[in-house]
Amino acid sequence: MKNILFLSVNFPPMLTEGSARAFRLFSKFPELGWAPMVVAPAEVAWDEADACRIGWELSGYSGIYRTGEVIAASTFGPERAAQLLEGNTASALTSSPLRMISGMLPGSNLVSGWEKQAASIAADIITRYDTVDAIYAQGPPAAPLLLALDISAKHGIPAVFDLVAPVDGFSLPGTSRQHLAKIEERVVTSGHTIMTPTRALKEYFLKKYFGKVTHDDISIVSDFCLMPAEIASMASQKRDGGTHLLVFADHRVQGRDFRRFMQALGAFMKQAGACMGGVSVRLISSSQEESNKHIRKYLQDASVSCSHRLQDKEELDAIAQCDIFCFIGGTDESSQLILPERLLDALCMNRKLLVFGPDSPASQLALETAGFSASLDDVPAVIQALQAAVDDSEKSVQVGGSRPPERYAPDASDGDLAKLLAYLLPV
């Protein structure tokens, strides 16, 4: 078994883009003969049972090294804990109001915590093991990429960079897009192995760095289905009692686009007579305050519930309990290049897909699997797509839902991934 140093800020419990992919690759590496040693962000305990589980896992070797002490979600509250898992800064509820007002308490941020501790933990891992054969670094954010470059140069260890989105499209306070663009170029043109989860993202890098990288320098390793047994079992059970629509709003969707969707959803619910109980809606959004404002305005009498982002298992449970999975994508450049992981989770559970936003891998996947898609600029088309999805939902249940294309099967990426990893080793 060969050792691979696994650097990812997005590793669970994070809910950032790349989190599910990081865990799936971590689970896949041992099958391919690689033992991953993960430098991961701090764990979050949601309740006492969760704290006991984490304590038991820490007592034995799991291959995961955390860059901070376990954080109790109860000290932050569910909404602030969700902010932490999305890479944002949050202050504990139990903090002194005076200290918070005076700015003496900076708050917690799992990303910055990773950046401060990852280098020393990685150094300890390299010292502890006789051989670290390769480095896997996932970005964005940029910190794992820079750390991988430094370790590779210092120890002569080959690296594979997994870019799940443009690096310069992800910024934190104190960083500029210009600075991140330089880091991205340094990584993509480094001569190390580069992989992306979508063809759209590969083509983006080839065009952006035309003349500096070639087609053979960047490989596509598609994401793949990997579902916990209990979730898969729940997803296979037939639901009763009307149509349940789960709406998942990407954190990039804000302002006018989100308002337009909520306006269209309200019009559809009235038009379809959904207020009588035929259709129920659950909305998961990064901005619960904005969501509730639009619900009060456009969906006063409809059967709609709303929540902030949840922990990973709860979000998978919510997908398993729905009939239609509706994803609202952002209009920024990054959104047009990525395949959202929750959308793939829904497809792996054979749920009908409904995507609103620009043309993207997400909208293409929905159409490819007999789902529906529409632009947020066209409110009538959004209403029509909602109606079509609900009309089709009963038929989809009868025929078994939307089947994932073969390229997303659990073993579909084995060949591509194994080949990339083999290239990292000397002949």
Side-chain angles (χ1 to χ4, degrees):
M1 187 75 78
K2 297 171 286 292
N3 294 321
I4 186 165
L5 181 63
F6 194 112
L7 306 175
S8 175
V9 180
N10 302 313
F11 198 84
M14 300 299 281
L15 296 174
T16 46
E17 195 66 43
S19 172
R21 177 175 171 86
F23 182 77
R24 287 192 270 258
L25 289 172
F26 166 75
S27 303
K28 178 68 68 174
F29 278 158
E31 299 176 17
L32 302 176
W34 291 80
M37 297 169 288
V38 186
V39 181
E43 182 65 276
V44 174
W46 293 86
D47 50 35
E48 289 187 12
D50 213 22
C52 291
R53 174 190 63 81
I54 294 169
W56 179 82
E57 289 178 352
L58 291 175
S59 65
Y61 173 74
S62 64
I64 301 174
Y65 300 83
R66 298 285 177 181
T67 55
E69 297 296 326
V70 178
I71 292 176
S74 58
T75 64
F76 287 87
E79 194 163 349
R80 285 182 173 84
Q83 290 175 355
L84 278 177
L85 300 186
E86 290 184 83
N88 300 315
T89 298
S91 297
L93 294 173
T94 54
S95 302
S96 164
L98 179 61
R99 291 185 67 193
M100 292 177 69
I101 293 171
S102 64
M104 293 173 63
L105 191 67
S108 300
N109 186 298
L110 298 181
V111 176
S112 61
W114 192 98
E115 293 175 348
K116 292 174 183 176
Q117 300 294 328
S120 61
I121 292 175
D124 288 343
I125 292 173
I126 293 172
T127 302
R128 186 179 308 175
Y129 290 88
D130 293 335
T131 305
V132 172
D133 301 283
I135 305 167
Y136 165 92
Q138 187 187 63
L145 309 177
L146 291 174
L147 180 57
L149 286 172
D150 290 345
I151 294 173
S152 177
K154 182 177 180 180
H155 297 279
I157 304 173
V160 55
F161 293 102
D162 183 20
L163 302 181
V164 299
V167 178
D168 64 4
F170 181 96
S171 60
L172 291 170
T175 61
S176 67
R177 291 199 63 171
Q178 184 178 9
H179 175 63
L180 292 170
K182 290 180 180 178
I183 295 173
E184 180 185 274
E185 181 174 8
R186 182 184 168 194
V187 169
V188 175
T189 62
S190 65
H192 287 290
T193 301
I194 307 295
M195 70 183 199
T196 68
T198 69
R199 181 168 298 279
L201 194 53
K202 174 177 178 173
E203 292 175 351
Y204 167 83
F205 288 129
L206 289 175
K207 291 177 182 177
K208 188 172 183 178
Y209 301 106
F210 181 75
K212 297 180 180 180
V213 293
T214 68
H215 177 81
D216 293 334
D217 293 329
I218 304 175
S219 299
I220 301 170
V221 177
S222 297
D223 209 344
F224 50 91
C225 296
L226 185 66
M227 200 60 53
E230 63 272 20
I231 300 295
S233 175
M234 185 186 304
S236 65
Q237 298 173 8
K238 184 177 179 181
R239 286 189 68 262
D240 296 319
T243 300
H244 183 62
L245 176 69
L246 177 63
V247 177
F248 191 93
D250 187 272
H251 69 91
R252 302 174 184 86
V253 182
Q254 299 175 6
R256 184 189 68 170
D257 289 330
F258 190 52
R259 183 179 68 251
R260 281 184 172 180
F261 170 77
M262 296 298 284
Q263 182 181 6
L265 180 62
F268 159 72
M269 296 289 271
K270 290 180 181 178
Q271 175 180 304
C275 298
M276 300 301 292
V279 178
S280 61
V281 177
R282 180 175 182 180
L283 173 64
I284 297 178
S285 168
S286 297
S287 178
Q288 191 172 8
E289 182 178 348
E290 184 180 10
S291 300
N292 285 327
K293 180 182 70 175
H294 293 316
I295 288 173
R296 289 191 296 269
K297 184 172 182 179
Y298 300 114
L299 294 145
Q300 290 181 345
D301 301 319
S303 176
V304 179
S305 61
C306 174
S307 67
H308 47 71
R309 292 295 305 272
L310 310 167
Q311 57 178 308
D312 186 72
K313 184 179 182 301
E314 286 183 331
E315 290 193 353
L316 293 176
D317 286 344
I319 297 173
Q321 294 168 15
C322 78
D323 300 295
I324 303 168
F325 182 82
C326 173
F327 179 82
I328 315 171
T331 56
D332 63 301
E333 188 173 43
S334 292
S335 298
Q336 300 174 44
L337 302 170
I338 64 176
L339 181 62
E341 293 169 325
R342 284 294 177 250
L343 191 72
L344 181 65
D345 289 331
L347 183 65
C348 292
M349 296 186 209
N350 300 326
R351 294 305 181 252
K352 180 66 64 177
L353 302 185
L354 183 55
V355 174
F356 297 117
D359 183 42
S360 64
S363 62
Q364 293 164 15
L365 182 63
L367 297 176
E368 181 184 355
T369 55
F372 302 89
S373 177
S375 169
L376 290 170
D377 291 330
D378 190 344
V379 171
V382 172
I383 297 172
Q384 184 178 6
L386 285 163
Q387 185 62 61
V390 171
D391 291 343
D392 195 58
S393 63
E394 184 61 34
K395 181 176 67 174
S396 297
V397 170
Q398 293 172 0
V399 300
S402 303
R403 297 291 178 182
E406 284 298 319
R407 66 180 180 276
Y408 298 116
D411 58 352
S413 62
D414 285 7
D416 294 333
L417 188 57
K419 189 183 300 182
L420 284 183
L421 294 172
Y423 285 157
L424 297 177
L425 297 177
V427 177

